[in-house]
C-alpha cells in the first residue's frame, strides 16, 4: 500500500486519481500513525517552501519522513515535495529543508548570463534529458515531454543524484534519486504517458511487481 502524506500543501486529488488509474492501493494520512504501515510513501507539494516545512513539523511528519527513508522505505517527492528533500531554500529568506540530498533551492534568475530575460515561473511542457536511464524509475521512460510549474529550482553539486534534467534557459534538475528515494520537479500525474509510467515504476518497486509497459 502507498501512503500519501497530507500536510495541507499537496494536490491529493490528482495523485490519488493517478494511483487509482494504476490500480494501486493507497491511503491518505495527515498524521504519521495513519501511514505507519505503508509500504511506500509519496510527498506531494504545492506552495511555498517555508510554509511546507512548518506544516510538516506541525503534522509530525518531519522526523517520520527521515526515519522512514533511513529504514529504506520507498519514497517519492513531487514538485515542492522534491525541493523539501534538499538542505535549504532561499524562498522567503532562508529555510532549512529535510537534508536528504545536498543542495539548496533558489529562484530562477529571470535573465540569462547573456542578458536575455525569460518568464518566471517555468510553466509548460519540457523535454527530459536522461542521465541514468538504467535507474528503475526510468524503465520504459524516454526523453519525453513532462509538465512543469515552478519558480524555484534545485542547485546541487551532487551530479550523481540527477537522473534526468530539462532545459529552461539553464539546466533544471527534473528527476533525482538515490537508493530508495526518488523525486520529480514536474508533476508526474499531469505529465501524460511518461509521468504515469514513472508512478507505475515507483509503485512496482514498492509492490515488487513487474513494470507495465505503457
Amino acid at each position: 500500500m502507498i501512503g500519501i502524506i497530507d500536510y495541507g500543501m499537496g494536490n491529493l486529488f490528482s495523485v490519488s486519481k493517478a494511483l487509482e488509474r494504476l490500480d494501486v492501493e493507497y491511503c491518505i494520512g495527515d498524521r504519521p500513525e495513519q501511514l505507519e504501515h505503508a509500504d511506500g510513501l509519496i510527498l506531494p507539494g504545492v506552495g511555498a517552501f517555508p510554509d511546507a516545512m512548518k506544516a510538516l513539523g506541525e503534522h509530525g511528519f518531519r522526523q517520520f519522513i527521515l526515519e522512514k527513508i533511513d529504514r529504506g522505505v520507498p519514497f517519492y517527492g513531487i514538485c515542492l515535495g522534491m525541493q523539501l528533500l534538499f538542505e535549504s531554500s532561499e524562498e522567503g529568506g532562508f529555510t532549512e529543508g529535510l537534508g536528504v540530498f545536498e543542495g539548496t533551492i533558489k529562484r530562477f534568475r529571470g535573465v540569462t548570463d547573456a542578458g536575455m530575460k525569460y518568464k518566471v515561473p517555468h510553466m509548460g511542457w519540457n523535454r527530459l534529458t536522461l542521465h541514468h536511464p538504467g535507474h528503475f524509475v526510468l524503465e520504459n521512460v524516454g526523453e519525453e515531454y513532462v509538465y512543469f510549474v515552478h519558480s524555484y529550482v534545485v542547485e546541487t553539486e551532487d551530479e550523481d543524484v540527477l537522473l534526468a534534467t530539462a532545459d529552461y534557459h539553464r539546466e533544471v534538475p527534473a528527476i533525482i534519486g538515490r537508493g530508495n528515494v526518488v523525486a520529480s520537479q514536474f508533476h508526474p500525474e499531469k505529465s501524460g504517458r511518461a509521468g504515469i509510467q514513472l508512478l507505475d515504476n515507483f509503485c512496482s518497486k514498492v509492490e515488487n511487481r513487474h513494470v507495465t509497459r505503457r
Side-chain angles (χ1 to χ4, degrees), residues 86-213:
F86 287 82
E87 293 172 305
S88 65
S89 173
E90 69 172 17
E91 186 173 4
F94 173 87
T95 303
E96 185 179 278
L98 293 171
V100 177
F101 298 108
E102 295 179 2
T104 190
I105 313 303
K106 295 189 176 182
R107 184 175 173 84
F108 280 108
R109 290 175 57 200
V111 60
T112 66
D113 290 340
M116 184 186 75
K117 294 182 179 180
Y118 59 89
K119 292 182 179 180
V120 178
H122 171 205
M123 181 181 298
W125 294 81
N126 287 75
R127 189 173 183 176
L128 295 173
T129 296
L130 305 186
H131 297 273
H132 297 282
H135 192 278
F136 79 86
V137 82
L138 296 177
E139 186 169 351
N140 303 324
V141 176
E143 295 196 336
E144 304 174 59
Y145 285 84
V146 292
Y147 188 72
F148 292 84
V149 182
H150 62 123
S151 298
Y152 288 79
V153 61
V154 169
E155 292 196 355
T156 179
E157 296 183 2
D158 187 359
E159 295 186 358
D160 288 342
V161 305
L162 300 182
L163 304 184
T165 57
D167 179 73
Y168 187 65
H169 305 286
R170 52 156 291 167
E171 184 178 71
V172 175
I175 306 173
I176 58 101
R178 175 175 286 145
N180 55 307
V181 183
V182 294
S184 57
Q185 179 61 71
F186 57 89
H187 290 267
E189 76 279 11
K190 298 180 180 179
S191 293
R193 192 214 73 86
I196 291 298
Q197 185 65 65
L198 283 166
L199 284 175
D200 193 22
N201 292 343
F202 173 74
C203 294
S204 297
K205 179 76 169 179
V206 174
E207 299 178 347
N208 194 28
R209 61 182 171 86
H210 182 69
V211 173
T212 303
R213 291 188 180 272

Side-chain angles (χ1 to χ4, degrees), residues 20-64:
E20 289 174 12
R21 175 180 171 183
L22 292 169
D23 196 27
V24 171
E25 183 182 2
Y26 71 89
C27 65
I28 298 173
D30 61 7
R31 295 294 173 188
E33 56 267 25
Q34 297 171 331
L35 302 177
E36 184 61 45
H37 300 293
D39 302 302
L41 295 168
I42 293 178
L43 178 66
V46 177
F49 192 105
D51 294 339
M53 286 303 301
K54 180 180 179 181
L56 286 178
E58 290 175 345
H59 285 257
F61 278 124
R62 182 166 182 164
Q63 192 61 32
F64 173 80

